[in-house]
Amino acid sequence: MTSLDEDLPADVPMDELSEAESVDEDSVPRQKIEIDNKIALERIRDTIKLDPSLPWTETLSVTYPAVIEVDVDDDLNRELAFYKQALDGAKKAMSLAEKHRLPFTRPADYFAEMVKSDAHMERIRQRLLDESATIKRSEEKRKEREGKKFGKQVQMEKLQERERGKKEMEERLKGLKRKRKGGLDNPEETDGFDVAVEEAISDRPSKRPKGTGSEGKKLPRQARDQKFGFGGPRRHSKQNTKASTDEFDAPRGGSGKGGRASKGGVKRLGKSRRMSARGRS
Amino acid sequence: MASVLKTQKANASKASVKGKGKRKAEDIDDEETQAPIAKRPKNKQRVLLLSSRGITHRMRHFMNDLEALLPHVKKDSKLDSKNHLHLLPELADLNNCNNTLYFEARRHEDLYLWAAKTPNGPSIKMHVQNVHTMDELKMTGNCLKGSRGILSFDKSFDESEWGRLTKEVFTHIFGVPPQARKAKPFIDHILTFSVLDDKIWFRNFQIIEKDPTQPNGPPQTSLVEIGPRFVLTPIRIFEGAFSGATVYSNPEFVSPAAVRSALKRAKGNKYGKRKQAEEDRSGRKEGRRREEDELAVAKVFA
């Protein structure tokens, strides 16, 4: 029952030595003694074994009928194999307990000291809850992040759409106002439903009267320069000149206007009436 | 010392019996003839659980877990010296135990477990690895303290002689006898021993019989791990309790010290190899060196 063991490269058994291999001449062939004294083991087992007539209830041991053959490093499958063994054992034990009339299931109202204290079980429960909460939170955040990339585009497009729509509406309304500026219709006549207005602001371009989309009279370059260039026509109105320092009263622009014959045409209405008229048309 | 006291006590009791007269002797005889009829074979096991000095907190928690799981266990104080293992059978006798689980801690990092049947029985020395105690929060199961557990053994135990012996010893040690004082009535956990890669893997599961949500249908059994879990590598089996001839030795076992030294040697190898290569290089360089040429500048021009 002794055998030559080769665990170091120097200890090569002589019969397996090939010609080419070199052996350190000083190496001593080591012998690792392996003992497996089957006879003695059996004898000992016979001396210590329990009386075979003992019923199963004395030892509660069951045997799993299969050998476990799993890769040791494969954690998942290894634990699965152990679980299967335990499950098989539990089922066998349940049927055996029924046969021997041994109480198996613990009733729900049986309270006794448990191997792990309640405080410890509470910590376990808390940890499980925390874990599930973090998972959920990270899932939500990931979804948000994904959605944001996509959603930003959609948002920008929507904003642009809205702006465009607003602008268009404004233009149409402006066009309509300019047209209607000449006198206000009797508001009761239309009964609230002014078909022309509706048509003008409608979404269907075919319904809109042509011309609302027109640009309006465009002033030529020269006229615009005169009107808006370098501060406009009244650009010098507040200057202090030699003449203006000697004057104490402002030039009578109002009286000049009042002195004119009232052949100026229609009298300009007051501010409040003008504003209200503007809003209405 | 303990054994001497015991024999003294025994002698004293025998003497007192004899001295009390013949009437008592007759009574005893009558009782003895009646007793064997009523006697049924019972499984009586008590386990002595103790450790050596130099045990770490993890090992201590592990021991406490085993004490909580097995109600027929008697925990004792630490054994002072690791060299006097012959004290252990006497200690077991003192505590009325017929099994012993002795945790030997070496170098504050290796744990060896001796499982022995004490009067003259065999003892198994094993190396313990990968200990996960019940405190770990990933093990969510729970069971009654002192409930008797089912033992499930792999078929590989029956295939080898040492396996059969180990199975027997474990059945005595880990199987709770029904008459144990602190044993509780119901069965709610199962201990599994499996042989994989020449090592014994231990798991402890809680048996949950879920009442089905539908009133029909059988209840589904499911298991949740309670812990602890560990891996045992059998090293040797001795004929006596902590002494005696070796009847089995495991050829696959490499002592953890040897493993560590091999690792360290491998680490040191890198430096050695480099230095060796440097020496070789200088040797080769010497070999390549040629004599100075006849037409070299230094020779032609003085």
Side-chain angles (χ1 to χ4, degrees):
Chain A
M1 273 176 282
T2 62
S3 66
L4 283 171
D5 210 30
E6 38 191 308
D7 44 0
L8 291 178
D11 300 351
V12 183
M14 296 295 282
D15 42 346
E16 287 176 28
L17 199 57
S18 65
E19 300 301 318
E21 274 186 47
S22 63
V23 174
D24 188 10
E25 271 118 21
D26 295 337
S27 71
V28 179
R30 275 194 335 165
Q31 294 181 355
K32 188 171 181 185
I33 302 169
E34 294 169 26
I35 305 176
D36 194 1
N37 197 342
K38 297 193 170 73
I39 307 158
L41 286 168
E42 204 176 328
R43 174 179 47 85
I44 294 169
R45 190 163 53 88
D46 281 333
T47 36
I48 62 165
K49 77 175 174 198
L50 296 168
D51 196 345
S53 67
L54 281 176
W56 174 77
T57 54
E58 296 286 322
T59 53
L60 295 179
S61 96
V62 295
T63 315
Y64 186 52
V67 174
I68 294 188
E69 270 160 35
V70 197
D71 185 17
V72 187
D73 298 321
D74 187 358
D75 291 339
L76 199 61
N77 284 325
R78 189 187 69 213
E79 295 304 316
L80 194 65
F82 294 152
Y83 186 93
K84 277 193 208 144
Q85 179 184 344
L87 199 60
D88 178 72
K91 290 203 174 114
K92 263 198 211 143
M94 271 206 275
S95 53
L96 277 169
E98 283 259 346
K99 239 197 303 172
H100 288 93
R101 276 166 301 171
L102 196 68
F104 195 92
T105 324
R106 179 160 53 99
D109 53 356
Y110 185 89
F111 290 118
E113 193 183 351
M114 307 287 268
V115 142
K116 294 188 192 172
S117 68
D118 281 341
H120 189 255
M121 295 309 284
E122 185 57 37
R123 273 176 64 205
I124 292 173
R125 195 183 71 91
Q126 200 56 45
R127 187 166 180 278
L128 285 173
L129 283 174
D130 289 341
E131 248 177 68
S132 61
T134 41
I135 290 172
K136 228 198 296 180
R137 219 184 309 137
S138 63
E139 276 285 330
E140 276 180 32
K141 280 208 185 126
R142 194 164 50 83
K143 257 189 231 154
E144 238 175 86
R145 245 184 297 136
E146 299 291 314
K148 213 165 71 163
K149 284 182 211 162
F150 183 65
K152 190 78 176 178
Q153 282 176 13
V154 175
Q155 189 189 33
M156 295 306 290
E157 275 174 27
K158 263 205 208 139
L159 281 174
Q160 282 174 9
E161 266 292 328
R162 240 179 271 156
E163 278 184 38
R164 239 180 285 140
K166 246 193 268 176
K167 265 190 224 162
E168 237 179 283
M169 201 67 75
E170 283 293 325
E171 274 188 32
R172 289 185 224 153
L173 284 175
K174 237 198 284 181
L176 196 70
K177 267 187 240 168
R178 265 189 241 129
K179 271 190 159 176
R180 298 291 214 85
K181 208 162 183 189
L184 295 167
D185 290 316
N186 196 347
E188 282 144 41
E189 192 189 285
T190 52
D191 200 12
F193 288 108
D194 204 344
V195 181
V197 177
E198 290 290 334
E199 279 184 0
I201 65 171
S202 78
D203 284 328
R204 288 171 61 190
S206 57
K207 281 285 179 181
R208 287 183 221 144
K210 288 197 190 123
T212 47
S214 62
E215 295 270 333
K217 212 164 76 163
K218 197 174 175 182
L219 288 171
R221 181 80 263 170
Q222 216 186 17
R224 278 167 63 176
D225 281 347
Q226 244 188 356
K227 193 170 182 193
F228 304 115
F230 299 111
R234 279 170 267 289
R235 61 180 81 98
H236 303 300
S237 61
K238 292 194 178 172
Q239 275 184 350
N240 281 335
T241 55
K242 196 169 157 190
S244 74
T245 44
D246 297 334
E247 292 173 353
F248 290 106
D249 295 327
R252 302 270 172 164
S255 61
K257 272 207 181 144
R260 255 191 299 131
S262 46
K263 269 199 265 183
V266 180
K267 189 180 174 193
R268 193 162 172 255
L269 298 170
K271 176 157 172 110
S272 54
R273 288 177 76 182
R274 264 188 287 128
M275 286 296 126
S276 51
R278 184 177 163 204
R280 249 195 282 153
S281 68
Chain B
M1 194 53 193
S3 47
V4 173
L5 275 173
K6 249 207 137 188
T7 45
Q8 272 185 353
K9 254 199 243 171
N11 288 338
S13 61
K14 270 194 218 157
S16 64
V17 165
K18 279 189 193 152
K20 283 207 177 144
K22 292 177 192 167
R23 225 180 282 165
K24 261 262 166 146
E26 285 169 14
D27 287 344
I28 290 169
D29 281 335
D30 286 339
E31 275 176 9
E32 272 180 9
T33 48
Q34 286 170 20
I37 303 166
K39 211 181 205 174
R40 271 169 50 210
K42 286 211 172 98
N43 183 17
K44 284 192 182 163
Q45 309 285 347
R46 264 174 66 94
V47 181
L48 179 71
L49 185 75
L50 76 170
S51 73
S52 70
R53 299 180 104 200
I55 203 166
T56 60
H57 69 288
R58 203 177 191 55
M59 303 173 192
R60 208 168 7 93
H61 281 287
F62 175 44
M63 264 185 69
N64 290 334
D65 288 346
L66 281 182
E67 191 198 349
L69 276 179
L70 308 171
H72 63 308
V73 139
K74 173 93 177 57
K75 186 151 171 278
D76 207 16
S77 52
K78 288 185 193 165
L79 192 69
D80 262 341
S81 60
K82 295 174 193 145
N83 301 326
H84 302 299
L85 289 180
H86 61 86
L87 295 169
L88 280 166
E90 294 180 9
L91 265 177
D93 254 346
L94 207 59
N95 287 299
N96 283 333
C97 296
N98 55 352
N99 300 298
T100 307
L101 271 180
Y102 171 56
F103 289 87
E104 186 179 351
R106 293 209 156 248
R107 296 158 171 260
H108 274 285
E109 40 191 31
D110 307 324
L111 183 64
Y112 295 96
L113 174 64
W114 291 81
K117 291 215 49 86
T118 32
N120 342 296
S123 37
I124 313 175
K125 181 177 180 186
M126 296 167 281
H127 177 48
V128 185
Q129 284 167 303
N130 286 12
V131 174
H132 294 260
T133 56
M134 275 197 306
D135 294 336
E136 302 205 351
L137 291 177
K138 289 212 183 240
M139 307 211 213
T140 50
N142 203 353
C143 70
L144 273 181
K145 187 165 186 174
S147 69
R148 300 178 62 206
I150 311 282
L151 297 173
S152 163
F153 289 97
D154 205 8
K155 193 164 137 217
S156 337
F157 279 99
D158 292 329
E159 286 175 359
S160 62
E161 208 45 65
W162 70 265
R164 277 189 274 249
L165 182 63
T166 311
K167 179 176 175 179
E168 195 65 39
V169 173
F170 280 178
T171 313
H172 295 195
I173 292 181
F174 291 99
V176 184
Q179 266 69 41
R181 187 161 289 169
K182 290 181 260 179
K184 299 281 189 318
F186 305 105
I187 302 175
D188 56 357
H189 66 131
I190 174 167
L191 314 175
T192 62
F193 295 89
S194 332
V195 174
L196 188 61
D197 191 27
D198 279 326
K199 297 188 217 291
I200 304 172
W201 300 66
F202 173 89
R203 295 283 182 274
N204 179 11
F205 292 98
Q206 176 192 6
I207 306 172
I208 298 178
E209 288 164 68
K210 240 192 315 191
D211 289 314
T213 46
Q214 319 98 323
N216 335 311
Q220 302 151 301
T221 337
S222 70
L223 304 171
V224 183
E225 188 159 1
I226 310 171
R229 50 153 89 166
F230 51 93
V231 180
L232 298 170
T233 317
I235 307 174
R236 273 171 190 264
I237 302 185
F238 298 102
E239 200 176 344
F242 302 98
S243 60
T246 312
V247 285
Y248 174 73
S249 79
N250 186 4
E252 308 285 331
F253 174 70
V254 184
S255 84
V259 169
R260 281 191 290 261
S261 77
L263 277 174
K264 289 231 177 91
R265 201 174 298 134
K267 266 178 88 175
N269 244 356
K270 195 172 159 197
Y271 175 76
K273 273 202 195 128
R274 196 174 70 225
K275 286 296 169 193
Q276 186 65 36
E278 277 174 24
E279 273 186 39
D280 288 344
R281 179 172 175 269
S282 55
R284 271 179 264 133
K285 197 170 171 191
E286 271 300 312
R288 277 196 299 263
R289 204 165 68 90
R290 286 161 54 180
E291 286 295 326
E292 228 179 285
D293 205 8
E294 284 284 326
L295 300 172
V297 173
K299 279 209 172 162
V300 172
F301 299 103

